[in-house]
Amino acid sequence: MTAPRLRFAPSPTGPLHLGGARTAMYNWALARALGGKFILRIEDTDQQRSTDESLQIILEGLQWLGIDWDEGPAVGGEPRGEHGPYFQMQRLDLYREVIDQLVASGHAYLCYCTPERLAELREEQKARKSSFIGYDGHCRDLTPEERAAREAEGLVPNIRFRMPEDRVVKVHDLIRGEVEVNTKQLDDWVMMRPGGVPLYNFACVVDDIGMGITHVVRGEEHFLNGVKQQLLFEALGKEPPQYAHIPLILNQKGGKLSKRDPGVKSVLEYRDLGYPPEAVFNYIALLGWGFSADRDVFTRDEMVDAFKIASVGKAGAKFDLEKLHWMCGEYVRQWSVEQCVERARAWLEPAMPAGTMAQHGAWLRNIVACYQERVQLLSEFPDKVGWLFAKDVRLEFDAGAEKKFNKHKEHAAEWLRGYADVLEASDLPPSWPEDRSAADGAVLLPSQKDAPATAAPCDDPAAIEAKTRAFTEERGIKFGHFVHPVRAALTGTDRGPGLFDVVFLLGKATAVARLRAVADSVAAD
Ligand code: GLU
């Protein structure tokens, strides 16, 4: 048996979108599952629309998702593989050779129809509501004299494939099963334009042969191209690869997913918005394939072990932004706190005053640990932790904090002042940006559940809790009421980590100052 060889063949005419990434991934996974090779081929024959920028974006997108190729364009080194070049524009001689052979054998012919004639033909077919819209074979059987006359007029020919007429072609698709297509539906398609630049279906077949491709997985919009390609393989006396045409990705309404649908981004945009790449990878894998009935979260290796093309669904998969975000949260929570700090670092750094991050490593770890359960995207970090770094002592309240604060407004000044005195008399760690490494080094947050047994050199959240509860009991304040104005004063929001972690992270001076500032502002109302 020949070794399995699969390829992803993007046209560098735009960014890598979800559909392209999924096609790449399924080819990659099948190549890995079968122990074969995965090849990256760049179909850059549309010179008007192909750009180097798009190419770089596609390469970066694949790398970000961890889809690596065995053969293809160089990434910071020599191109890999012995079947290159892997850019179609560098393979023009090969196409020329094959086209000459096909013209000589009669499978291809020169067509001198002008763009004007072709446009008229199309209008006329549309006007009479013809079931067939396409080329009418006008130049199929030109005599040498007729050809010479056209050449003499200065007309330059396209080269078309001579489709077998009225033949039922049986296609075996790995996803759709056996399908029959009558060639009457398909016209004599253009293989090469004047100037020697090939068109997609032709170049694709020459390259699939040249690169020894055994399986082709691609979007179902290419299904009829597959029929054309199969006939060209036949004309060249070659065995076609096995085709698998995967269904479209759909939007929530069941229509074809478009980049205008909510939450639909290109792969690198997801990167730039702080989506973890493992989560995006995992989510894309599920757009048409399932790992198991009861598990949606799996690793790359698990996917490769389990992947079978026959288990890709026939129905289109719906893009579900909520599920993608849920998946992101699952991955964030899987990381150790240290891993999460590493991932969050680039997001947090701009939110912190310059140069402070390195000196406050342990504090940062505690901050990140408090939010690991609460974020899905890394980009949420700066906003979520903004209250910690706020310069204002009297924080603006968000709507939730305002509402909850107002419920207890009549007691707020008294409670906050009293509590500020309690904290002032406590052994809270110093406030950032003072050095609090001893405190943060000894206390692991979030700490209510698993505080270390060793004593911290300061009040840890458990000690803060004991002092807080003693205070509220002594004053007869319901704890469930007390937390609202206190949280509002300390963070400006009604959400976030446990209250004692909040107090611990803020440190003494800041916590006390914020409580008093709000108490003063209420008193002044
Ligand atoms: N360049 C084609 C595309 O991007 C490749 C299709 C194929 O895989 O054959 O759609």
Side-chain angles (χ1 to χ4, degrees), residues 7-13 20 23 27 41-45 88 200-201 204-205 208 216-219 221-222 225-226 229 243 245:
R7 73 344 184 246
F8 176 51
S11 305
T13 52
T23 300
N27 279 290
R41 176 170 84 222
I42 306 301
E43 302 205 329
D44 55 355
T45 56
Q88 289 189 324
Y200 159 66
N201 278 308
C204 177
V205 169
D208 283 345
V216 169
V217 182
R218 63 188 169 199
E221 68 276 16
H222 285 296
N225 286 329
Q229 293 175 14
Y243 290 114
H245 289 96

Side-chain angles (χ1 to χ4, degrees), residues 104-119:
S105 66
H107 288 104
Y109 65 90
L110 308 184
C111 166
Y112 296 87
C113 290
T114 58
E116 294 73 30
R117 174 175 189 274
L118 296 175

Side-chain angles (χ1 to χ4, degrees), residues 107-386:
H107 288 104
Y109 65 90
L110 308 184
C111 166
Y112 296 87
C113 290
T114 58
E116 294 73 30
R117 174 175 189 274
L118 296 175
E120 265 169 40
L121 174 65
R122 180 169 282 266
E123 286 312 308
E124 183 268 316
Q125 286 168 337
K126 275 199 208 151
R128 66 180 158 87
K129 300 201 167 37
S130 166
S131 59
F132 172 82
I133 308 266
Y135 186 59
D136 59 356
H138 190 73
C139 296
R140 245 181 173 230
D141 299 307
L142 294 182
T143 61
E145 294 73 33
E146 286 168 328
R147 274 209 301 274
R150 284 167 173 73
E151 299 272 346
E153 273 179 60
L155 294 173
V156 277
N158 286 310
I159 301 176
R160 288 185 186 269
F161 186 65
R162 189 187 300 275
M163 288 288 274
E165 281 171 284
D166 197 6
R167 197 182 117 190
V168 175
V169 183
K170 280 198 172 57
V171 183
H172 179 80
D173 189 278
L174 294 174
I175 293 170
R176 301 174 143 214
E178 303 288 342
V179 186
E180 292 189 348
V181 179
N182 193 306
T183 54
K184 274 202 268 187
Q185 290 181 38
L186 303 166
D187 67 354
D188 288 351
W189 44 278
V190 176
M191 307 171 87
M192 191 179 268
R193 296 248 185 257
V197 177
L199 263 64
Y200 159 66
N201 278 308
F202 173 56
C204 177
V205 169
V206 173
D207 293 345
D208 283 345
I209 294 171
M211 297 179 182
I213 300 302
T214 56
H215 302 70
V216 169
V217 182
R218 63 188 169 199
E220 72 178 9
E221 68 276 16
H222 285 296
F223 179 76
L224 284 179
N225 286 329
V227 179
K228 296 178 184 172
Q229 293 175 14
Q230 188 172 315
L231 290 167
L232 178 54
F233 271 96
E234 192 183 293
L236 289 165
K238 303 280 184 194
E239 199 52 39
Q242 298 196 58
Y243 290 114
H245 289 96
I246 51 181
L248 293 174
I249 304 176
L250 306 176
N251 60 24
Q252 284 300 310
K253 290 190 193 128
K256 183 175 187 281
L257 190 73
S258 108
K259 53 184 179 224
R260 283 172 296 281
D261 286 313
V264 175
K265 309 274 178 216
S266 74
V267 168
L268 288 191
E269 283 172 319
Y270 286 123
R271 178 193 68 184
D272 297 343
L273 289 167
Y275 288 65
E278 308 90 318
V280 177
F281 178 98
N282 191 151
Y283 181 71
I284 292 176
L286 289 174
L287 290 170
W289 178 76
F291 179 73
S292 76
D294 55 2
R295 240 181 91 191
D296 276 346
V297 181
F298 45 84
T299 66
R300 225 178 280 281
D301 287 347
E302 285 176 319
M303 178 188 185
V304 166
D305 285 345
F307 192 76
K308 286 193 184 60
I309 200 70
S311 48
V312 171
K314 282 195 178 63
K318 273 192 184 158
F319 174 74
D320 178 350
L321 185 63
E322 238 173 71
K323 182 156 182 181
L324 170 58
H325 283 183
W326 167 82
M327 182 75 77
C328 292
E330 291 293 301
Y331 275 91
V332 171
R333 281 190 287 285
Q334 271 184 18
W335 299 331
S336 68
V337 176
E338 281 67 27
Q339 285 170 326
C340 197
V341 169
E342 277 322 301
R343 306 284 193 122
R345 195 173 281 280
W347 294 96
L348 283 168
E349 193 142 30
M352 296 172 69
T356 53
M357 197 169 206
Q359 305 152 21
H360 297 281
W363 189 52
L364 196 64
R365 191 195 59 209
N366 273 337
I367 296 171
V368 167
C370 284
Y371 280 98
Q372 203 172 349
E373 295 282 330
R374 294 180 165 79
V375 302
Q376 295 176 319
L377 310 183
L378 294 165
S379 50
E380 292 171 57
F381 269 107
D383 254 12
K384 290 225 148 115
V385 305

